[in-house]
């Protein structure tokens, strides 16, 4: 049975995926997670969940290419330049 | 507490640590390999701390106590001296029997009048808690398994035998002290 382990490095920080492990049941998973992710003081807390309990979604459709929904790589520089020219403030700075 | 009584516990921990470490790389599955190796390492750490206390009393060093005595001078239980690789059922039976007995011993030491001993026992206890958790989960898993039940019956009487283990201990002692004996007087 595969278990996914999440660890919180310090109190107040978010849990992040640490790795996965193979264990026959939850008791073994707990012991192994302690050994692999907690023994050296590297974690303030762990979450352990059977992989089967996690729901994965990986189908994010974007058929119409509406990339204005996205926040990555939005080119502001050109637009800003045009706006400044229209406003007549291009040479001010 | 006499230095001899400390040595008894230290020898148990050192020899069991060595025997358990024989599983490193060949335990039944990867996660168990990591866990069991780590337990072995802890036991040797406990041995080192206990030897240090005994060494103060005896005017010697932990290394000398661990490695420079003759095999027949070790006070460990016959249970821990047995080489059990590659028998996992017997290994877990020993682990369970040892942790159960060790828990009682460490609990007693925690209320010892010597603060150094009581303090060390409390530290050891915090790690042993996880060893017991590990031993118990395996015990639960194997308790119906005939080979395991048989191993428990076979090994339990050895726990209290402290002077009959020389034939099991001698080959391990050879291996364990080989490097140290290879360069007499070296400080590593």
């Amino acid at each position: 049975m595969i278990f996914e382990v999440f660890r919180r490095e310090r109190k107040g920080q978010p849990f992040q995926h640490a790795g996965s492990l193979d264990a026959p049941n939850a008791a073994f998973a707990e012991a192994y997670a302690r050994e692999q992710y907690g023994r050296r003081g590297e974690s303030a807390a762990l979450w352990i969940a059977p992989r089967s309990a996690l729901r994965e979604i990986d189908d994010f459709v974007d058929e119409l290419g509406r990339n204005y929904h996205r926040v990555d790589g939005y080119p502001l520089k050109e637009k800003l330049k045009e706006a400044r020219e229209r406003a007549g403030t291009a040479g001010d700075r | 507490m006499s230095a001899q009584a400390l040595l008894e516990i230290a020898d148990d921990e050192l020899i069991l640590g060595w025997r358990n470490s024989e599983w490193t790389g060949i335990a039944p599955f990867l996660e168990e390999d990591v866990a069991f190796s780590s337990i072995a390492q802890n036991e040797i750490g406990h041995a080192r701390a206990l030897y240090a206390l005994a060494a103060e009393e005896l005017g010697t060093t932990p290394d000398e106590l661990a490695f420079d005595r003759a095999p027949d001078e070790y006070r460990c239980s016959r249970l821990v001296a047995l080489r059990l690789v590659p028998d996992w059922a017997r290994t877990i039976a020993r682990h369970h029997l040892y942790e159960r007995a060790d828990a009682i011993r460490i609990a007693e030491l925690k209320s010892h009048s010597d603060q150094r001993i009581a303090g060390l026992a409390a530290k050891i206890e915090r790690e042993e808690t996880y060893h017991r958790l590990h031993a118990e989960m395996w015990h639960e898993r194997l308790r119906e398994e005939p080979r395991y039940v048989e191993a428990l019956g076979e090994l339990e009487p050895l726990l209290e035998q402290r002077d009959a283990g020389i034939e099991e201990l001698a080959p391990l002692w050879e291996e364990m002290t080989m490097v140290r004996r290879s360069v007499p007087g070296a400080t590593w």
Side-chain angles (χ1 to χ4, degrees), chain B residues 112-154:
Chain B
H112 198 276
S113 56
D114 185 332
Q115 281 306 303
R116 292 169 313 159
I117 294 175
L120 177 58
K123 266 191 208 168
I124 290 177
E125 165 71 13
R126 283 197 284 277
E127 286 190 344
E128 292 291 350
T129 304
Y130 297 110
H131 298 188
R132 283 201 291 282
L133 197 90
H134 178 272
E136 274 164 31
M137 78 192 189
W138 270 107
H139 179 71
E140 280 305 311
R141 191 160 176 83
L142 298 181
R143 63 189 313 161
E144 310 281 316
E145 167 67 40
R147 281 176 300 170
Y148 178 70
V149 176
E150 195 187 318
L152 283 178
E154 175 210 346

Side-chain angles (χ1 to χ4, degrees), chain A residues 10-58:
Chain A
R10 275 186 296 277
K11 214 179 158 190
Q13 289 192 339
F15 281 79
Q16 288 184 316
H17 190 233
S20 51
L21 53 84
D22 194 358
N25 59 38
F28 276 78
E30 182 183 328
Y32 295 152
R34 281 179 190 279
E35 281 303 335
Q36 291 186 28
Y37 302 107
R39 189 187 175 217
R40 294 155 200 84
E42 70 272 53
S43 303
L46 297 176
W47 282 344
I48 309 159
R51 183 178 282 172
S52 59
L54 301 178
R55 186 165 168 87
E56 177 176 317
I57 47 172
D58 58 2

Side-chain angles (χ1 to χ4, degrees), chain B residues 155-179:
Chain B
L155 295 176
E156 188 158 20
L158 305 185
L159 190 58
E160 295 305 320
Q161 293 179 22
R162 292 204 173 266
D163 42 18
I166 184 76
E167 67 276 20
E168 284 98 9
L169 185 61
L172 174 62
W173 182 88
E174 281 291 328
E175 198 184 305
M176 193 172 80
T177 61
M178 185 189 294
V179 174

